[in-house]
Amino acid sequence: MKFFIDTAEVAEIRAAHELGLVDGVTTNPSLIAKSGRDFTEVITEIAGFVDGPISAEVIALDAEGMIKEGKELAKIHQNIVIKVPMTTEGLKATKEFSRLGININVTLIFSPLQALLAAKAGATYVSPFVGRLDDVGHEGMEGVEQIRTIYDNYGYDTQIIVASVRSPLHVLHAGLIGADICTIPFAVMKQLAHHPLTDVGIEKFLADWNKAKA
Ligand code: E4P
């Protein structure tokens, strides 16, 4: 399973990159706003050191506007993936980007049928938001399982990015289901590395070592 990092904070991306954990990056308008930086500048900086897909989201709500914005974003670097929302206008834009050979990530997916439509329109990636579904009492990962089944049934090569990840359990389930990618906040990525028994084990090894040497 590939790991994307879900942030627009360049320092976090660099830190995860040093750990060898960054196969790609996803951003969204909220994350860019949180970074307090200029959109194009941040995306350009990320593209300078990450060798993988970098999702940059359009703001327009109509297909024409999305295509216009997307074409500009795609000029930044060959790894830029245009993120469009899962709406009928987003599907129109997806079809056009696909025709132009520009990679697309259809975002804000909350049902398997939305993911089916996105695949039919030619999406390179779909982003089901599991955490936001969990927040409203639905099993987010169930939807991912259904998307996997539908894509496998019909041989769609659209890749599933498990998004809105809140905990290591989301990552575990994504792996068990066979999602292609999990886009993970840096804090969760760090949690994945830790286990209290590893810390206890290290302490015990060192204590035994020091005792034997005393
Ligand atoms: C995905 O590409 C989105 O950027 C992200 O996963 C949204 O997550 P949130 O629900 O934590 O905002």
Side-chain angles (χ1 to χ4, degrees):
M1 182 170 61
K2 288 187 176 162
F3 276 14
F4 287 1
I5 185 164
D6 195 28
T7 183
E9 297 296 336
V10 175
E12 288 187 344
I13 301 170
R14 283 191 192 279
H17 187 251
E18 277 172 22
L19 299 175
L21 296 178
V22 177
D23 299 309
V25 180
T26 51
T27 66
N28 65 38
S30 304
L31 293 172
I32 297 283
K34 198 172 149 209
S35 80
R37 295 185 55 192
D38 174 72
F39 187 20
T40 309
E41 191 187 291
V42 180
I43 297 295
T44 307
E45 189 176 344
I46 297 170
F49 68 96
V50 171
D51 185 18
I54 299 156
S55 288
E57 189 160 342
V58 297
I59 301 299
L61 296 178
D62 62 304
E64 202 182 320
M66 289 180 196
I67 293 163
K68 192 164 168 255
E69 272 180 50
K71 280 181 177 169
E72 284 308 306
L73 290 168
K75 282 184 199 161
I76 298 176
H77 193 277
Q78 61 188 14
N79 285 343
I80 303 305
V81 174
I82 307 307
K83 222 173 174 189
V84 301
M86 176 53 229
T87 58
T88 48
E89 290 300 299
L91 290 177
K92 276 190 228 167
T94 298
K95 192 169 168 231
E96 177 61 5
F97 285 131
S98 163
R99 193 187 67 78
L100 295 170
I102 293 174
N103 289 329
I104 319 107
N105 175 357
V106 179
T107 190
L108 291 166
I109 297 265
F110 291 96
S111 87
L113 291 174
Q114 288 181 316
L116 174 58
L117 296 191
K120 285 179 78 66
T124 322
Y125 304 96
V126 284
S127 292
F129 276 37
V130 297
R132 293 193 196 185
L133 277 172
D134 290 354
D135 290 346
V136 295
H138 290 271
E139 267 295 347
M141 292 311 301
E142 256 175 30
V144 175
E145 213 168 337
Q146 291 173 350
I147 297 169
R148 178 75 285 156
T149 302
I150 293 170
Y151 284 4
D152 289 349
N153 282 348
Y154 296 100
Y156 286 112
D157 57 9
T158 301
Q159 295 180 52
I160 304 169
I161 306 179
V162 173
S164 186
V165 163
R166 303 273 158 80
S167 77
L169 263 188
H170 282 145
V171 184
L172 173 66
H173 289 148
L176 291 173
I177 289 167
D180 303 279
I181 300 148
C182 210
T183 190
I184 312 170
F186 189 46
V188 175
M189 233 179 232
K190 285 189 286 186
Q191 279 179 292
L192 298 177
H194 289 123
H195 196 289
L197 288 179
T198 304
D199 301 336
V200 170
I202 292 170
E203 258 178 53
K204 174 90 170 67
F205 283 154
L206 285 181
D208 289 346
W209 180 261
N210 290 329
K211 218 186 298 164
K213 280 177 65 183

